[in-house]
Structures are given as C-alpha cells and as structure tokens.
C-alpha cells in the first residue's frame, strides 16, 4: 500500500511545478528590469529552478511524516533503462564477519570498542543475512568485454566459467539478458558507491540514475543498514564488507578478486562521509587502499560547527532545522535518558535476582538479535568503576570545555557578521547509561541544554568521533580524492575545510579528545603524509549537484570531471595529445549551456562571444600568467593547454546560446520571450535534437531510445545518451571542468578550482577569503551556541506541532514496556527450571 508521504508527494508535484514555472518567468522579468540579485543558475535554468523547489518542498514535507514512512518512500523500486545490465546480489555473512574483525582493529581493539562504541556485538546484528548490493554495468561495455574474453579463450583454449552462458547479439543492445554475473566483468573498473540520505534514508533505487551515469566502468552500489535502527558503526561495517567482497571474494563467488587499483569509492552526502570513514578504516587496519575516491558533497561534520550551515539555508534543499526532526514515532526520537536508565536498572536487578549464584560477568545482558537495536551504546558495559588510565575519557574530562564567545565576519558577504557564541560541552562516553545532554552557558550567563539525541546516526557523545565527523580526524595517508562542493549548500564550509585538511594535514593539529575516541590517531602524523586532493566548488549550486541536478549544465560538467578523474587514477586516461583530439587545434570540446535553442546556425557564431564574456568576467580572479586550475603549492605542474581524449568525453548534445551568448541583461521586452524559448526547447529537446549530428571519435554506447545509429553519429560515450554538442573552441586560456589536461603532469598535492554555471574553471579564492577558515580551531567539531539555539527552536516548533502524536508515542512505549516487563518476569521464573535451580 502506498504510504502517506508518497501520496502527498504525488499530489503536490503538479501544483509546485506550475507555481515555480510562473514565478520563474516573472522573477526573471523583475530581476532583468530592476537589476536585483538572484542566483545565476536558478535564473538561467528553468529546470534547476523547478527541481530545486520540488526537492526542497519534498524535504520539508518529509519532516511532517515519520522516519519509517520516509525510509519506505526512498526504498521504492525503480526500473533500470534498457542500456544497463543489473545483477542483484547479497554480500555474504563471511565478508561481514571479516569486516567486523578489521573494524574492531581500526577502532582500537575490543576494549576500546566496548568503551567508546558500547560493545563489539550489537552493531553486527542485522535483519538480512548479508549486505544488499548490485552490479550495474553498461551493456555495450559488457558486450565489448565479452568479445575480448572470448578472443582470449579461443587463443588459449582454456575452460571458461561462462560455459553455457546465453549468446549475445552485440548489435542488439536492448535484448533481455539474464541477471547473472559474467566473468568478463572482472577486468572492468569498479566504482563502489554509497548512497546519501543522512544515514537514515535512501537506497540504490533512490539514486539509480546517477549510478547508471557512472556505470561506464561498472558500478557496485550497496544498501547499507540505516539509522536509527542501525546507527554508527553499522554502515561502516557494511561498506567494508562490500569492499572485502570485491578484493577477497569468498569461495563460491562468481567473480575473481578485483585489484584495489581498479576500485574507486564514491558517495554523496552521507555516502561521501561513509567513504571517508572507510578510507580511514582501511588505512588504520592495514588493508589495501583503493585507487581513489569521488566525494560528492560529503557530510564531514555532524556537529554543524561551520558558518555555512547558518548562511545557506535559503539556497539549499536541506530543511531549515536540519535532518533531526520528523513526526514522532516509536522509532524516533528515542526515549529520554531517564526512561532508558529505568529500563536498564530494572532488567539488571531482575536478572541478578534470578541468577545470584552465577558470576556477575554472566549476568550482563547482551543483544540477542531478536530485534534491531535502537539505542545501542548502553550494552556490554560493566557497572564497576574503572580506574582512570592515560588516554581514557575519565582521564580527559577537561578535553571538552566551553570556549569563549565568538563573532565571525563573513568574507563572502561584505560587512556581514555571524555570532556563533560559545561552544557547547559534549557528553563523554562513560560507563553505564550514557547521557545525551549537551549544555553550555552563554556570555550573558544563560544556560542552554539539549537533552535528546541530535542525530540519528550517532549519539551526542560520539558526534566528534573521527569516523563520524572526519573534519576532526587526521586525513593524510588516503588515496587521491576528488572533492565536489556546491557554493550554495549548507555544508559547503566543512567540505572545503576537509579538502584542505587532507592535502595539508600538518597545518591542522589533532584534538586530544579525537585521539581518545579513535586511538589509531596516536602518532599518525609520523606515519602518513599528505593526501592528493582535487577540490571543485560549483557556483550557485545546491547540495549533491550531480545527483539531484544531473540534467543541469554544471551537473553535466561535474559528471565529466568525475569521469576524467576516475580514468586518471585507474590508469585509463591517455597521455598522448594526438589521441582522441577534437577540433582543428586539438583543444577539448567547449560546452555551452545558456538559454538554448535548436538553431545550429547561431551556435558557432555565438560561441566565441560567450566564452570571451566568460573569460572577461573571470579575469579578476586569475592573472593571465596563472593557469585556471593552479594548485595551492608553488611547484604546481598543471598547465592550461588541454589535451582531450576520447576516453574523457561523457557525451555530446546540441545546445545553443541565444542573444549572442552575452552575459549582459537582455532588454525588458525580450526577457519573457527568451525564457519561453528556453522552456520550449528543453521540453522538446529529446525530439528536436535527433536531426542534428556532429562528428566524434569517442566510444559509443546505446541511447535511451535504443537508436544506435544516432549514437554512432554523435560519438558519445555517455551511457545515458548524448549530453553535449561539440563546438568550436573559445578564447585561448579558457578551460572547462572535465578537461583531461588538468592531470597532464599528474595530480599535485592539491588542485583548487571554482566552476562557473557554464563550466568555466577559475582558481578558488585564498583561504583568508573563505568563511571556512574564519572558524577558530577550537570550534571545529564543537556545537556552537548558534547551532544549539537552532536545534532548540526546531524542537520547540515540532513539539508544538506534534504534541498529540508525541503523547501517543509515549503511551505506546509505556504499554510496550509494561508488556515486556510481564514477559520478562515469566521468562525469569522459568530460568531456574532450565538451569537446574
């Protein structure tokens, strides 16, 4: 049965679409006439405006529903297109058990895991005997690999694992193929993908389109266990199990071991944070590292300590109070500490009364797997006081102390200041039932407190754990990273900070509490050096640009950048400039996205003017002698002369610029006509582009319509169909995201780039001009007064709105506790008969 969230989303979709459509046109008229500020991407692209408002409305509507309803909605099955081959599988329990062993080692051993996480067993409980995952591969690539496999088999006359496999007609890319893994897939590159969703919702189906766009080199997404049923570190164990399944397949697996150098981790939002956590675990457990990772808007700081969380609320899709608030249910929010303490004390006293003759160690309750854990960190704890030891939380009770009152200036907004206040004191992971209370005293003497759990993924005393909030960790010693941030997203600052900390870890000292929570950080500075990082910040975009806004021009450029990076780190990017060049002078394809028409005559004439205007507008950001992607290091070797290759082209598509492609505002009477032309063109682009063809030399894959002859004429290598139209080159020195020339001389310590709404690259501003670096070091990974007030305002608002639902949940919990109490008494009375008492 369709849940209420699905019904509400379906009913509101049409009205929101029409409302945004009308507002978009009138806003453009007003802005063109009055010259007021408006986000450039939202002003230029109607589809971005539509998608932004629809997604933001949905996210706010989802807060009025329970977590269970949102999880059900995000798990709705979505079909795969005909050009993609999908194989569903289950990562076996043997890999999960091995992953648990490595994870405990990385966490510091069994004793540290029990002290910090709350045990070594509860987070291994699962409802499914393994990890749900899929192989996703483009059919054309698979069929080409199958040809190569058969050729090798014919030359060696060796037995084949695919004997009896169905024969394939390589000319028919839409034929039905059995959903089984084939041996020729082993040689293909693999992207192990973790979906986003705040760690508590989302699935492979939710982000299937994005994953299929990346499936040119085979993709292996997984459905990890979700909070609050399965909080930290459950998701890390699942992700690690999937990685071990690739590099060390258990007996009976259909695939051979995949070389770590052929594996790329990728993830968006919470999935990006999960990738960072897995890379740290692999590093600290001594396991082989993958070739690299693509991090799309990674969630790096669950303490919300950076300014952009408060500055970009209106321009991002995240609800104004974050992802902590939903309609109450028995699942979320969790019961208060006093109720949890009462339950634990009652259970312990009754078990001790029934088993007085047994040692105390045997009377401790442990998870039995009968139900998913909700609030885990209270189990497997001894009640005896522990003698303080160096490096223990009891020895570092002063590690989390309130900080002075802070007011920051915002460099991105001249003259604006942001009062963060002092930092809250997080609770420590102590013995027994652990408190969730977060408290602080303001400069005016006001005392603020949060008693409930803030995030579903981790309790409050673990919010600054290095595997939960990587911004407090040591980030050196990781494989190359492509870090993608959006200028208008709320977690922009923490992503930029994370990227710089990974590239220059010696500049950012590790807090003592981080070493206590994660002992692997002790002495790590001497063991590992900097991580190679490529950072891209996309102008005017919201959270997870290539996932939620893949159809926009910056989203398409972002896919090009990801594809080029993946091919570079896996050794697939040609280094010869003579291979795969396009255009008479070997320059890479110039892509233009401004309000489009299908007139091929205006395209070539307007392209140079558009690129020239873009170059003039960005001239103030980079002197002529500095390449557009100049790294921060003085010995950078990145050059501005692009050397494209057919392996780097994600696709081609006809897109033309109106009105000469100028960035200057159009006259008032032309604005509505231009906007209407854009919407008509985009709505009909799938049909009108078919009669335009361009030359190309790149590899081809099937289009969504199955018209292979169209694909052959465009020379596209994008599995989702043609995306861009190849055009002449713009002015010399103008560079675009995704050009392989950025790696012409390798990846230096750090490449720092901004990408405009048209895909043009310019250097990222100096650290002193970014709000991410205005935050004092002691506030990084700490909950500020402003964040506490934001949470308290949200709690008060939702408390008033759902007061009746909260009371109903409280009554249901009391009834369940009373029923459980009676069941416990009956079970305890039966124990003497079974134990011989």
């Amino acid at each position: 049965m369709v849940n209420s969230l699905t019904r509400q989303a379906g009913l509101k979709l049409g009205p929101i679409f029409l409302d945004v459509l009308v507002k978009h046109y009138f806003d453009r008229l007003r802005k063109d006439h009055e010259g007021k500020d408006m986000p450039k991407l939202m002003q230029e692209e109607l589809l971005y405006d539509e998608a932004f408002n629809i997604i933001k409305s949905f996210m706010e509507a989802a807060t009025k529903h329970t977590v269970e309803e949102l999880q059900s909605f995000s798990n709705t099955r979505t079909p795969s297109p005909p050009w993609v081959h999908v194989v569903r599988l289950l990562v076996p329990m043997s890999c999960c058990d091995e992953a648990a062993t490595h994870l405990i080692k990385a966490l510091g051993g069994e004793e540290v895991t029990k002290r910090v996480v709350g045990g070594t067993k509860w987070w291994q409980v699962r409802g499914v005997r393994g990890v749900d995952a899929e192989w996703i591969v483009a059919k054309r690539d698979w069929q080409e690999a199958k040809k190569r496999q058969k050729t090798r088999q014919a030359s060696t006359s060796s037995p084949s694992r695919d004997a009896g496999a169905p024969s394939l007609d390589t000319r028919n890319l839409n034929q039905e193929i059995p959903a089984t893994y084939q041996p020729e897939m082993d040689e293909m590159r693999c992207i192990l993908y973790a979906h986003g969703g705040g760690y508590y919702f989302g699935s492979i189906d939710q982000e299937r389109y994005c994953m299929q766009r990346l499936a040119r080199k085979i993709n292996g997404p997984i459905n990890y266990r979700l909070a609050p049923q399965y909080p930290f570190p459950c998701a890390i164990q699942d992700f690690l199990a999937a990685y071990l399944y690739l590099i060390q397949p258990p007996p009976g697996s259909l695939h051979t071991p995949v070389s770590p150098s052929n594996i790329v981790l990728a993830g968006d939002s919470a999935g990006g944070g999960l990738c960072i956590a897995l890379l740290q675990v692999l590093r600290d457990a001594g396991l082989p590292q993958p070739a690299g990772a693509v991090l799309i808007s990674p969630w790096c700081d669950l303490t919300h300590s950076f300014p952009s969380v408060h500055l970009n609320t209106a321009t991002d899709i995240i609800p104004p109070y974050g992802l902590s608030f939903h309609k109450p249910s028995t699942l979320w929010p969790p019961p208060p500490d006093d109720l949890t303490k009462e339950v634990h004390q009652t259970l312990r006293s009754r078990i001790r009364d029934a088993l007085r003759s047994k040692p105390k160690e045997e009377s401790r309750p442990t998870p039995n797997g009968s139900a998913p854990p909700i609030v885990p960190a209270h189990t497997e704890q001894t009640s005896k006081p522990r003698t303080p030891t160096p490096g223990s939380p009891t020895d570092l009770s002063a590690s989390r102390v309130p900080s002075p009152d802070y007011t920051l200036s915002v460099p991105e907004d001249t003259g604006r200041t942001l009062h963060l206040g002092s930092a809250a004191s997080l609770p420590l992971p102590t013995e027994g039932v652990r408190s969730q209370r977060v408290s602080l005293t303001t400069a005016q003497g006001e005392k603020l407190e949060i008693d409930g759990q803030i995030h579903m993924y981790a309790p409050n005393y673990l919010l600054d754990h290095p595997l939960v909030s990587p911004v407090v960790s040591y980030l050196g010693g990781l494989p190359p990273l492509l870090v993608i941030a959006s200028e208008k997203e709320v977690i922009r600052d923490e992503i930029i900070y994370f990227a710089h900390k990974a590239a220059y870890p010696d500049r950012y000292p590790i807090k003592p509490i981080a070493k206590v929570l994660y002992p692997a950080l002790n002495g790590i500075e001497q063991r590992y050096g900097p991580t190679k990082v490529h950072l891209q910040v996309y102008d005017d975009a919201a959270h997870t640009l290539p996932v939620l806004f893949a159809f926009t021009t910056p989203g398409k450029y972002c896919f090009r950048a990801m594809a080029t990076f993946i091919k570079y780190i896996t050794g697939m990017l040609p280094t010869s400039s003579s291979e795969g060049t396009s255009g008479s002078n070997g320059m890479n394809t110039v892509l233009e996205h401004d309000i489009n028409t299908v007139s091929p005559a205006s395209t070539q004439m307007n392209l140079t003017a558009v690129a020239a205007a873009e170059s003039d507008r960005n001239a103030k950001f980079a002197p002529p002698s500095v390449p557009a992607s100049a790294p921060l290091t003085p010995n950078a070797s990145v050059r501005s002369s692009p050397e494209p290759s057919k392996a780097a082209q994600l696709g081609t598509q006809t897109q033309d610029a109106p009105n000469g492609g100028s960035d200057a505002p159009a006259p008032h009477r032309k604005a509505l006509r231009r906007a209407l032309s854009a919407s008509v063109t985009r709505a009909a682009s799938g049909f009108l582009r078919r009669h335009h063809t361009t030359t190309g030399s790149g590899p081809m894959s099937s289009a969504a319509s199955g018209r292979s002859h169209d694909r052959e004429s465009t020379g596209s290598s994008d599995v989702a169909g043609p995306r861009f139209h190849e055009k002449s080159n713009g002015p010399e020195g103008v560079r675009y995201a995704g050009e392989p020339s950025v790696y012409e001389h390798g990846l230096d310590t750090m490449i720092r780039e901004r990408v405009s709404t048209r895909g043009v690259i310019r250097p990222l501003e100096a650290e002193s001009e970014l709000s991410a670096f205005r935050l004092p070091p002691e506030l990084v990974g700490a909950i500020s007064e402003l964040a506490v007030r934001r949470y308290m305002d949200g709690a008060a608002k939702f408390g008033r709105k759902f007061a009746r639902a909260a009371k109903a949940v409280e009554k249901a919990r009391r009834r369940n506790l009373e029923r459980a109490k009676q069941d416990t008494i009956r079970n305890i009375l039966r124990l003497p008969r079974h134990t011989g008492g």
Side-chain angles (χ1 to χ4, degrees):
M1 182 179 178
V2 179
N3 63 39
S4 59
L5 178 57
T6 305
R7 292 194 300 270
Q8 184 179 2
L11 292 174
K12 288 189 174 182
L13 180 61
I16 293 175
F17 181 86
L18 294 176
D19 181 63
V20 174
L21 180 65
V22 175
K23 287 183 178 180
H24 180 85
Y25 291 146
F26 283 100
D27 284 345
R28 288 195 58 168
L29 286 171
R30 185 173 66 253
K31 299 304 178 183
D32 286 346
H33 184 66
E34 299 176 2
K36 294 183 179 179
D37 293 333
M38 184 179 182
K40 183 178 178 61
L41 184 59
M42 189 173 292
Q43 181 181 7
E44 289 183 344
E45 296 206 17
L46 172 61
L47 288 183
Y48 177 85
D49 197 2
E50 291 279 9
F52 177 86
N53 284 275
I54 289 174
I55 297 171
K56 189 175 183 68
S57 299
F58 170 80
M59 293 297 295
E60 294 182 2
T63 62
K64 301 178 177 61
H65 295 261
T66 64
V67 171
E68 297 93 322
E69 290 177 323
L70 180 56
Q71 289 178 344
S72 175
F73 176 88
S74 64
N75 202 35
T76 303
R77 184 69 179 169
T78 56
S80 297
W83 62 82
V84 175
H85 180 51
V86 177
V87 180
R88 300 194 66 178
L89 61 94
L90 197 67
V91 176
M93 285 299 299
S94 59
C95 295
C96 299
D97 295 338
E98 185 180 359
T101 301
H102 291 297
L103 182 54
I104 292 173
K105 177 182 177 181
L107 288 170
E110 290 193 3
E111 287 301 317
V112 176
T113 304
K114 290 178 181 179
R115 169 171 55 83
V116 175
V117 180
T120 59
K121 298 296 183 183
W122 66 262
W123 45 269
Q124 299 187 47
V125 177
R126 59 183 67 244
V128 179
R129 299 292 298 174
V131 181
D132 184 29
E134 292 184 4
W135 293 103
I136 302 177
V137 61
K139 285 183 182 178
R140 190 179 190 93
D141 293 332
W142 172 41
Q143 290 164 342
E144 291 175 355
K146 192 173 183 68
K147 289 180 181 178
R148 294 192 296 269
Q149 179 84 353
K150 289 183 177 180
T151 302
R152 286 194 299 268
Q153 291 170 0
S155 61
T156 59
S157 300
S158 60
S160 172
R161 283 185 295 157
D162 65 339
S167 60
L168 298 175
D169 180 7
T170 57
R171 295 169 298 178
N172 181 11
L173 300 180
N174 295 321
Q175 64 177 309
E176 288 295 327
I177 301 174
T180 56
Y181 189 87
Q182 301 296 326
E184 57 272 4
M185 294 181 182
D186 291 344
E187 67 178 37
M188 306 179 74
R189 303 306 193 264
C190 180
I191 303 171
L192 182 59
Y193 197 96
H195 65 78
Y199 295 106
Y200 72 96
F201 72 96
S203 66
I204 295 174
D205 293 284
Q206 174 184 276
E207 300 179 11
R208 186 172 297 279
Y209 176 74
C210 173
M211 297 174 188
Q212 289 164 173
R213 287 283 300 274
L214 291 172
R216 282 292 298 178
K217 300 301 167 231
I218 198 167
N219 195 2
I222 70 165
N223 279 327
Y224 52 85
R225 289 171 293 168
L226 299 175
Q229 302 97 316
Y230 300 99
F232 169 83
C234 295
I236 300 177
Q237 184 201 6
D238 290 355
F239 207 25
L240 177 57
Y243 183 76
L244 295 175
Y245 178 73
L246 291 176
I247 65 173
Q248 301 171 4
S253 299
L254 295 177
H255 70 285
T256 58
V258 180
S259 172
S261 61
N262 287 343
I263 299 175
V264 178
L265 301 185
D268 64 279
S269 192
L274 195 56
C275 289
I276 303 171
L278 177 59
L279 291 175
Q280 294 183 77
V281 170
L282 295 176
R283 177 195 64 190
D284 302 328
L287 292 171
Q289 293 269 20
V294 176
L295 309 176
I296 305 169
S297 297
W299 194 8
C300 307
D301 179 23
L302 270 68
T303 63
H304 294 324
S305 57
F306 286 88
S308 61
V309 171
H310 311 285
L311 297 173
N312 287 349
T313 302
T315 55
D316 201 6
I317 60 166
I318 304 298
Y321 298 107
L323 299 176
S324 303
F325 299 102
H326 282 272
K327 180 181 178 180
S329 67
T330 53
L331 185 60
W332 182 264
D337 290 343
D338 55 352
L339 181 58
T340 304
K341 185 177 181 180
E342 176 187 343
V343 172
H344 278 251
Q345 289 177 345
T346 302
L347 288 175
R348 288 192 178 112
S349 63
R350 292 187 182 280
I351 292 175
R352 286 169 184 155
D353 290 342
L355 304 174
R356 286 178 182 175
S357 60
K358 291 187 174 291
K360 183 179 296 184
E361 287 78 7
E362 298 181 15
S363 65
R364 295 200 307 262
T366 58
N368 55 18
S370 58
I374 295 180
V375 185
H378 314 315
T379 59
E380 300 183 27
Q381 298 293 332
T382 59
S383 59
K384 296 184 297 183
R386 184 188 297 270
T387 302
T389 57
S392 66
T394 53
D395 186 49
L396 286 177
S397 57
S399 296
R400 291 167 168 168
V401 295
S403 63
D405 190 83
Y406 285 102
T407 299
L408 306 180
S409 60
V410 182
E412 290 88 352
D413 192 352
T414 306
R416 183 177 178 182
T417 59
L418 186 69
H419 179 245
L420 294 177
S422 58
S425 177
L426 290 174
L428 290 169
T430 55
E431 301 290 351
V433 177
R434 305 176 180 189
S435 173
Q436 299 273 14
R437 179 167 298 174
V438 177
S439 60
L440 66 84
T441 302
T442 67
Q444 293 75 27
E446 181 183 4
K447 189 173 181 62
L448 304 178
E449 288 186 351
I450 298 176
D451 289 325
Q453 184 171 328
I454 297 175
H455 290 296
M456 302 183 202
Y457 181 56
N460 295 348
Y461 47 82
L462 290 180
L463 291 182
D464 55 352
H465 191 285
L467 297 184
V468 176
S469 296
V471 290
V472 303
S473 184
Y474 183 84
L475 300 171
L478 304 181
L481 305 176
L482 173 62
V483 183
I484 297 170
S486 299
E487 173 63 25
K488 298 300 183 181
E489 65 178 326
V490 294
I491 60 173
R492 173 201 64 199
D493 288 346
E494 63 196 64
I495 298 172
I496 295 176
Y497 182 90
F498 159 82
H500 285 78
K501 188 172 185 179
Y504 306 101
D506 56 320
R507 301 181 184 176
Y508 306 87
I510 307 173
K511 290 184 177 181
I513 188 62
K515 297 182 178 180
V516 172
L517 296 175
Y518 193 55
L521 297 181
N522 289 308
I524 197 172
E525 298 93 339
Q526 288 73 42
R527 298 195 298 270
Y528 299 104
T531 298
K532 294 183 178 181
V533 178
H534 186 174
L535 171 65
Q536 288 188 329
V537 182
Y538 284 78
D539 289 346
D540 288 339
H543 189 54
T544 60
L545 168 67
V547 177
L548 297 177
F549 308 98
F551 44 81
T552 63
T553 297
K556 296 170 185 176
Y557 276 103
C558 191
F559 270 103
R560 289 190 69 190
M562 290 190 291
T564 304
F565 175 80
I566 291 171
K567 291 171 182 176
Y568 167 70
I569 61 176
T570 56
M572 299 176 62
L573 195 64
T575 57
S576 174
S577 60
S578 62
E579 181 178 358
T581 57
S582 60
S584 58
N585 57 358
M587 294 285 285
N588 199 16
T589 301
V590 176
L591 308 166
E592 180 52 41
H593 88 288
D594 205 358
I595 308 303
N596 302 291
T597 67
V598 294
S599 171
S602 63
T603 302
Q604 305 298 335
M605 293 186 297
N606 295 335
L607 183 60
T608 302
V610 172
E614 186 79 45
S615 178
D616 293 341
R617 187 173 66 249
N618 295 329
K620 63 179 180 179
F621 294 102
S625 59
V626 180
S629 61
L632 194 62
T633 53
N635 58 346
S637 60
V638 178
R639 301 179 182 273
S640 60
S641 57
E643 293 187 11
S645 66
K646 56 187 177 183
Q649 296 177 8
L650 275 181
T652 58
Q653 179 174 347
T654 302
Q655 294 187 354
D656 308 310
N659 305 328
S662 175
D663 288 334
H668 175 72
R669 64 184 182 85
K670 294 184 179 180
L672 182 58
R673 182 177 60 190
R674 183 174 68 241
L676 287 171
S677 174
S679 63
V680 172
T681 300
R682 291 186 181 275
S685 60
F687 303 97
L688 297 180
R689 290 193 184 104
R690 293 301 180 186
H691 69 278
H692 296 296
T693 59
T694 59
T695 59
S697 57
M700 297 171 290
S701 62
S702 64
S705 63
R707 302 179 184 180
S708 59
H709 61 279
D710 288 338
R711 295 280 301 176
E712 292 171 0
S713 65
T714 60
S716 170
S717 64
D718 188 349
V719 299
R723 298 289 166 189
F724 298 103
H725 176 57
E726 297 184 7
K727 301 179 181 179
S728 304
N729 298 302
E732 184 178 358
V734 177
R735 299 184 59 252
Y736 292 81
E739 291 184 3
S741 61
V742 70
Y743 307 120
E744 183 179 13
H745 298 284
L747 176 60
D748 291 288
T749 302
M750 189 175 192
I751 299 176
R752 310 165 72 252
E753 296 174 336
R754 275 197 182 273
V755 183
S756 74
T757 58
R758 299 173 181 235
V760 176
I761 292 174
R762 65 182 187 273
L764 186 66
E765 297 86 346
E767 294 181 20
S768 59
E769 300 178 29
L770 300 172
S771 60
F773 300 98
R774 295 294 180 93
L775 194 68
E778 58 268 24
L779 283 186
V780 175
I783 302 180
S784 66
E785 175 187 338
L786 188 59
V788 171
R789 292 189 181 278
R790 172 176 176 256
Y791 179 88
M792 294 176 65
D793 291 343
K797 177 181 177 180
F798 277 76
R800 291 190 300 268
K801 184 175 183 63
F802 297 110
R804 184 177 300 179
K807 290 180 180 178
V809 169
E810 181 66 19
K811 289 181 180 179
R813 281 177 174 164
R814 290 293 179 182
R815 286 197 303 268
N816 293 337
L817 287 175
E818 185 61 30
R819 190 179 299 114
K821 178 180 178 181
Q822 296 174 1
D823 293 342
T824 303
I825 294 175
R826 284 197 300 268
N827 293 333
I828 290 178
L829 291 177
R830 295 172 184 169
L831 283 177
R833 289 181 294 180
H834 295 287
T835 58

